[in-house]
Amino acid sequence: MSATMVHPREDLARVRDAFAGGAGYLAACTVGLPPRATRDAVLADLDSSVAGRPDPASYSSAVERSRAHFATLVGVPPTRIAIGSQTSVQASLLAASLPDGAEVLVPERDFSSIVLPFVHAGRGIRVRTAPLHALADAVGPATALVAFSLVQSATGEVADDAAIVAAARAHGARTLCDATQAVGWMPVDASRYDALVCHAYKWLCAPRGVAFLAVSADYSATLRPVHAGWYAGDDPWTSCYGAAVELADDARRFDTSPAWQAFVGAEPALALFASLDIASAHSHVTALATAFREGVGLPHAVRSSAIVTWSDPDGCDLARLTASGITASGRDGRARVAFHVFNDLDDVGRALAALGR
């Protein structure tokens, strides 16, 4: 049966069956659960290494397959994808290429990894903030870059990226989208932005240490490969020594040396999500989040999200969830639950019962 003929429920069931656990786990926004194939790949690699058979060539293959899977997930060619280990490092690449004195606009209280690289870039670069809902209106003629998370980590709010991108283009500003809290449960099109970063250890359920940068061709031409090492070479294995190294002519010139074992585990997880009908995943997780919102008496989200947060300054609600065996999280004075493909309505009911709703 072709992928286009698979019923959405069958597709979700297939992906859910790839995980050994998930019941009561409402924290994919903190760290994703590895699928069985990731566990098996990591253990097999460790066994080979312990036995004296590490295989660097297979590590490079895992990196390239991971790059291709992520490209599929965000709808751009692999030639536009650079690999790395942290989104903050990838954001600092963009910061290093801004003109002196440039203005960067960010949402108030956005995740630090896409804010601090610009705050500490020096050279007179100025960071200005605005509420997320007013970010598009805050773009001005002096704005060089608008950096924002597509889904806010602390609140789960989904940005109006269409308005932000339109405002940035109207003023000649670039856009950087952090899609770490989005890719894996909602459709994401990296071609909408000048640059997109994503760490794969949350919704993509990969080991920590696997991050991606998707960059447009024209923006790429303005960036300096300040982190260039052997893996930024056109052929990494012949780029290990000396200064006469020819860098790759596509986004690979911005690669940083990969954490090999992390990519070994990431590749099967990324393959799993790249094979999923993301629209059906979006419908599934947002329906669960909406049911939870209704159960606790929260208003519907302006734009549907898989993450639900509410004020919990003393941590009592988070403690109730934890005491009932549910894994949730707290951020910035708020309790936070997240619904992923391995969750179902039973998880909603357990969480509501734990909160006395």
Side-chain angles (χ1 to χ4, degrees):
M1 182 181 293
S2 70
T4 56
M5 295 177 62
V6 175
H7 191 280
R9 289 184 180 176
E10 295 173 354
D11 197 25
L12 283 169
R14 172 184 61 83
V15 172
R16 183 173 182 176
D17 286 347
F19 293 87
Y25 189 82
L26 303 182
C29 55
T30 302
V31 59
L33 299 179
R36 292 185 183 89
T38 287
R39 175 200 60 196
D40 294 345
V42 171
L43 290 176
D45 175 68
L46 287 173
D47 287 343
S48 292
S49 295
V50 167
R53 297 189 303 274
D55 186 359
S58 71
Y59 298 150
S60 290
S61 295
V63 170
E64 295 313 313
R65 290 195 301 272
S66 295
R67 191 194 310 269
H69 295 323
F70 186 77
T72 297
L73 279 160
V74 298
V76 297
T79 52
R80 285 186 48 182
I81 304 295
I83 62 97
S85 298
Q86 299 92 20
T87 55
S88 57
V89 173
Q90 293 170 326
S92 73
L93 167 74
L94 308 186
S97 299
L98 284 170
D100 292 358
E103 177 186 281
V104 179
L105 177 65
V106 301
E108 293 175 351
R109 303 194 70 75
D110 207 334
F111 197 71
S112 297
S113 290
I114 62 161
V115 177
L116 295 185
F118 301 104
V119 170
H120 297 286
R123 299 184 291 108
I125 290 173
R126 297 168 291 113
V127 175
R128 185 165 60 88
T129 66
L132 181 65
H133 67 83
L135 196 66
D137 293 335
V139 182
T143 306
L145 176 71
V146 185
F148 66 99
S149 294
L150 183 55
V151 179
Q152 293 289 298
S153 171
T155 66
E157 185 178 359
V158 178
D160 185 355
D161 64 327
I164 295 168
V165 168
R169 287 178 178 167
H171 289 284
R174 298 284 190 180
T175 51
L176 165 61
C177 174
D178 183 347
T180 299
Q181 293 286 7
V183 181
W185 69 265
M186 68 179 290
V188 175
D189 180 359
S191 69
R192 295 166 61 88
Y193 321 107
D194 293 292
L196 175 147
V197 293
C198 178
H199 203 303
Y201 77 102
K202 294 181 183 286
W203 297 90
L204 290 171
C205 298
R208 186 169 169 83
V210 174
F212 299 95
L213 165 67
V215 60
S216 67
D218 67 314
Y219 194 22
S220 176
T222 72
L223 302 178
R224 294 186 295 117
V226 294
H227 305 307
W230 72 285
Y231 218 81
D234 187 50
D235 176 5
W237 293 103
T238 62
S239 303
C240 298
Y241 303 103
V245 170
E246 182 177 350
L247 296 187
D249 61 3
D250 56 20
R252 292 179 299 121
R253 70 192 293 110
F254 307 120
D255 282 1
T256 56
S257 184
W260 280 337
Q261 286 76 18
F263 274 90
V264 167
E267 191 276 327
L270 293 165
L272 179 67
F273 283 97
S275 73
L276 173 64
D277 176 3
I278 292 294
S280 66
H282 179 269
S283 296
H284 173 73
V285 301
T286 56
L288 296 178
T290 297
F292 180 82
R293 281 182 172 275
E294 292 174 349
V296 295
L298 293 171
H300 284 206
V302 175
R303 284 170 288 278
S304 295
S305 178
I307 304 172
V308 183
T309 72
W310 64 98
S311 180
D312 187 33
D314 55 8
C316 287
D317 281 348
L318 179 57
R320 292 186 183 99
L321 291 167
T322 302
S324 71
I326 292 172
T327 303
S329 55
R331 292 292 185 275
D332 208 18
R334 303 179 69 81
R336 185 176 69 161
V337 296
F339 298 93
H340 205 0
V341 292
F342 43 67
N343 297 123
D344 58 21
L345 283 171
D346 288 342
D347 293 309
V348 175
R350 287 182 61 191
L352 292 176
L355 296 171
R357 303 296 202 276

